[in-house]
């Protein structure tokens, strides 16, 4: 099929996710034919640095020979069988490997196929757990989530998310959940500074738990970094204190490691930064190295045990997706984990993360760069009109989008969130590639600035 026929058919037949299709139809779609390492190539063979890791999933680069081989090998056996009433070798081996890697105390793996469902499963597990645990408390039916949080697109995961724009059209469907202030140090809602604040943003959580813990089933958060919120790292001690509060007030702690898991923050799981174990942990994205849709919800023996009983007791967890534990996905995930070991991915990251930080310093004197936030290979660069008062750009100006489109012409794919430029390189990206990403971004920002009519330098 010709290049132009594909472009035409894309507009004719595909409804793209998170995309205003009216705008899309007015543009020529960029069609990616292949990838290699940190690069993607379009139909004409033009190369682009994949600075989004293909929406935060890619780990060891595109076309890694060992993941390719693992999938091919599994294809000689079977592509898919169900986990409903059956099992398969890659799903079994992967569950064992995940439990060995996960924070101590997590014992069981419940498979699904994307991050939203992994979260939704966690929420449903928590609700049913309180009905069936040794001292049942069925009135525990509410959750707590962080403002600005993002946990996925299903009705349950949107109910637990704090992005107003994504909630509004579906408000009639969403279940109620308590939102607490996020730990957003650059725009602290309490106008305080860390460490003098002593994590004052958690005082309201403590108050809420004090008055309402009897009705609260669990609290969900993205450990260490709120991703879609604009890469907002939590200050040191925050995660641990939330975990302690959940334990003290007897509510379940659900860690959404969908974005942060598999090395993204520099450690295998973000929970390790503060040595905590959640009661429930959702993983997806990097699980298969960014190859295939696979997700899992991990939990403790205490939660799992509450679901045991005779069939007629109705304690079964009635949830399961057709592609849960898909053998091809699990084979890819096993290869992904084995590459972490053989290529010493985490050790290499420890050396490269400071180099990425150093490269990012070159952006710090840009008049539009208000804040540079980094946790491992998750970077958010918040652009502002005025650094002194942190005045944001008007959303209609679509500054982030303009910079991303300029970066594309310079050979890099980047997807901003509003005016926050996100760099999310594959973990295999070399120091040179990281430096290139930063310098393309720097150049793209200055190109857009120089074409902005009302531009005036405000430092
Ligand atoms: N949780 C977090 C923290 C995420 O970042 C995402 C996706 N960006 C999800 C859940 C949802 O994952 P998926 O897109 O695979 O449904």
């Amino acid at each position: 099929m010709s290049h132009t026929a594909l472009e035409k058919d894309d507009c004719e037949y595909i409804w793209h996710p998170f995309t205003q299709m009216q705008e899309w139809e007015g543009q020529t779609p960029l069609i990616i034919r292949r990838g290699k390492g940190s690069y993607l190539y379009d139909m004409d063979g033009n190369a682009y640095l994949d600075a989004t890791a293909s929406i935060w999933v890619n780990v060891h680069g595109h076309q890694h020979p060992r993941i390719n081989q693992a999938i091919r090998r599994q294809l000689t056996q079977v592509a898919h069988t169900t986990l409903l009433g059956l099992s398969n070798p890659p799903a079994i081996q992967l569950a064992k490997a995940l439990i060995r890697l996960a924070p101590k105390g997590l014992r069981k793996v419940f498979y699904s196929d994307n991050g939203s469902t992994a979260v939704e499963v966690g929420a449903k597990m928590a609700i049913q757990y309180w009905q069936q645990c040794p001292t049942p408390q069925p009135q525990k039916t509410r959750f707590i989530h962080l403002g600005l949080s993002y946990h996925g697109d299903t009705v349950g995961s949107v109910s637990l998310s704090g992005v107003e724009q994504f909630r509004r059209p579906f408000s009639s469907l969403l279940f109620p959940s308590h939102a607490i202030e996020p730990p957003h140090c650059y725009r602290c809602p309490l106008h305080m500074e860390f460490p003098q604040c002593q994590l004052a943003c958690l005082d309201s959580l403590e108050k809420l738990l004090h008055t309402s813990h009897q009705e609260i089933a669990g609290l969900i958060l993205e450990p260490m970094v709120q991703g879609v919120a604009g890469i907002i790292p939590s200050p040191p001690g925050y995660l641990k204190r939330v975990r302690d509060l959940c334990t003290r007030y007897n509510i379940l702690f659900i860690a959404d490691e969908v974005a942060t898991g598999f090395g993204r923050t520099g450690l295998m799981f973000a929970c390790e930064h503060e040595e905590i174990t959640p009661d429930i942990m959702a993983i997806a994205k990097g699980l298969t190295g960014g190859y295939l849709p696979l997700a899992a919800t991990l939990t403790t023996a205490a939660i799992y045990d509450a679901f045991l009983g005779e069939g007629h007791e109705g304690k079964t967890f009635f949830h399961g997706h057709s592609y849960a534990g898909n053998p091809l996905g699990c084979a890819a995930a096993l290869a992904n984990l084995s590459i972490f070991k053989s290529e010493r991915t985490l050790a290499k990251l420890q050396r490269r993360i400071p180099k990425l930080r150093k490269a990012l310093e070159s952006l710090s004197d840009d008049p539009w760069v208000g804040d540079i936030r980094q946790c491992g290979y998750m970077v958010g660069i918040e652009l502002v009109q005025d650094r002194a008062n942190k005045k944001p750009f008007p959303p209609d100006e679509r500054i982030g989008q303009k910079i991303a489109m300029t970066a594309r012409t310079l050979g890099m794919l980047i997807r901003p969130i509003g005016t926050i430029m996100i760099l999310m390189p594959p973990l295999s990206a070399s120091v040179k590639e990281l430096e290139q990403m930063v310098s393309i971004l720097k150049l793209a920002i200055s190109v857009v600035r120089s074409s902005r009519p009302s531009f005036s330098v405000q430092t």
Side-chain angles (χ1 to χ4, degrees):
M1 204 178 204
S2 79
H3 188 152
T4 40
L6 283 170
E7 287 169 2
K8 190 168 156 290
D9 284 355
D10 177 281
C11 290
E12 182 93 20
Y13 297 110
I14 299 186
W15 186 345
H16 288 262
F18 279 102
T19 302
Q20 176 41 257
M21 292 307 293
Q22 185 172 307
E23 282 168 17
W24 179 270
E25 286 175 15
Q27 296 165 1
T28 309
L30 177 62
I31 305 177
I32 299 298
R33 191 203 291 274
R34 67 184 184 91
K36 182 83 191 143
S38 301
Y39 285 89
L40 292 170
Y41 299 85
D42 69 14
M43 300 296 288
D44 296 321
N46 298 312
Y48 304 89
L49 276 165
D50 184 3
T52 68
S54 294
I55 216 71
W56 311 7
V57 299
N58 195 278
V59 180
H60 305 294
H62 295 283
Q63 294 282 359
H64 194 290
R66 293 206 18 229
I67 306 184
N68 288 6
Q69 190 193 33
I71 295 170
R72 279 201 205 100
R73 195 179 299 137
Q74 180 57 36
L75 267 177
T76 66
Q77 303 297 310
V78 66
H80 183 64
T81 63
T82 178
L83 275 196
L84 278 67
L86 297 175
S87 202
N88 70 73
I92 298 167
Q93 288 156 12
L94 178 62
K96 184 173 177 180
L98 287 173
I99 291 304
R100 286 188 171 167
L101 271 181
K104 245 199 180 82
L106 294 171
R107 288 280 165 70
K108 297 284 173 182
V109 176
F110 189 95
Y111 286 115
S112 60
D113 43 29
N114 64 73
S116 311
T117 54
V119 166
E120 189 108 3
V121 163
K124 286 174 76 177
M125 262 178 195
I127 293 294
Q128 196 174 338
Y129 165 78
W130 288 114
Q131 296 165 30
Q132 301 175 179
C133 63
T135 318
Q137 299 189 56
Q139 80 289 355
K140 278 176 155 315
T141 54
R142 290 276 178 267
F143 289 96
I144 300 173
H145 68 269
L146 268 55
L148 302 178
S149 62
Y150 176 80
H151 296 292
D153 301 333
T154 57
V155 169
S157 55
V158 174
S159 301
L160 297 171
S161 297
V163 183
E164 248 337 283
Q165 198 184 10
F166 304 162
R167 291 174 61 95
R168 204 171 301 119
F170 313 109
S171 55
S172 61
L173 293 178
L174 305 181
F175 56 72
S177 172
H178 300 277
I180 58 165
E181 290 291 0
H184 194 345
C185 295
Y186 181 61
R187 296 186 183 277
C188 176
L190 303 175
H191 308 288
M192 296 176 104
E193 273 194 27
F194 183 83
Q196 292 79 5
C197 65
Q198 296 183 21
L199 301 174
C201 51
L202 283 177
D203 294 349
S204 61
L205 172 63
E206 187 150 12
K207 255 189 220 136
L208 174 64
L209 288 173
H210 189 71
T211 53
S212 312
H213 65 96
Q214 293 93 341
E215 61 160 50
I216 291 168
L219 175 147
I220 183 164
L221 59 68
E222 302 159 73
M224 298 308 290
V225 191
Q226 289 188 274
V228 173
I231 314 296
I232 302 179
S234 57
Y238 181 90
L239 180 60
K240 180 141 181 34
R241 192 150 146 216
V242 173
R243 167 70 271 190
D244 291 346
L245 284 170
C246 291
T247 308
R248 174 138 48 101
Y249 286 97
N250 198 26
I251 69 165
L252 300 179
F253 181 93
I254 305 174
D256 177 353
E257 290 254 15
V258 169
T260 51
F262 301 97
R264 197 36 67 200
T265 67
L267 299 177
M268 189 54 97
F269 296 107
C271 285
E272 293 169 30
H273 287 278
E274 301 207 346
E275 296 176 355
I276 63 125
T277 297
D279 299 292
I280 293 172
M281 182 167 107
I283 54 176
K285 288 195 188 278
L287 171 56
T288 60
Y291 267 61
L292 288 164
L294 183 72
T297 308
L298 276 53
T299 194
T300 59
I303 293 180
Y304 172 80
D305 287 348
F307 289 75
L308 302 179
E310 301 293 333
H312 64 84
E313 290 179 77
K315 290 186 172 179
T316 307
F317 189 43
F318 288 110
H319 188 113
H321 299 280
S322 310
Y323 283 101
N326 169 259
L328 287 176
C330 292
L334 280 165
N336 172 37
L337 297 184
S338 111
I339 297 166
F340 265 99
K341 267 196 204 147
S342 62
E343 295 188 359
R344 305 182 58 253
T345 305
L346 294 176
K348 280 187 198 153
L349 272 184
Q350 287 314 313
R351 290 197 300 274
R352 288 180 188 157
I353 289 167
K355 299 206 166 131
L356 174 56
R357 182 164 299 122
K358 181 102 193 48
L360 288 165
E361 277 170 21
S362 70
L363 292 170
S364 59
D365 56 2
D366 186 290
W368 279 5
V369 171
D371 196 23
I372 303 174
R373 302 188 280 266
Q374 181 195 5
C375 183
Y377 267 30
M378 294 179 94
V379 178
I381 296 138
E382 181 159 346
L383 305 180
V384 289
Q385 291 194 61
D386 183 343
R387 297 190 340 162
N389 60 18
K390 305 181 184 177
K391 186 177 171 200
F393 285 100
D396 310 352
E397 239 192 276
R398 318 214 36 213
I399 288 287
Q401 190 57 20
K402 284 180 188 156
I403 293 168
M405 295 314 278
T406 305
R408 189 181 283 192
T409 65
L410 299 169
M412 177 168 81
L413 300 179
I414 178 171
R415 193 174 162 88
I417 297 175
T419 44
I420 300 161
M421 307 311 295
I422 310 287
L423 286 180
M424 197 71 75
L427 303 191
S428 55
S430 66
V431 172
K432 193 165 157 244
E433 287 167 341
L434 297 171
E435 287 169 352
Q436 266 172 341
M437 288 179 194
V438 175
S439 59
I440 291 176
L441 178 60
K442 190 175 164 76
L443 181 56
I445 295 173
S446 68
V447 168
V448 171
R449 182 167 43 242
S450 60
S451 65
R452 186 173 186 245
S454 57
F455 168 61
S456 67
V457 180
Q458 287 157 320
T459 46

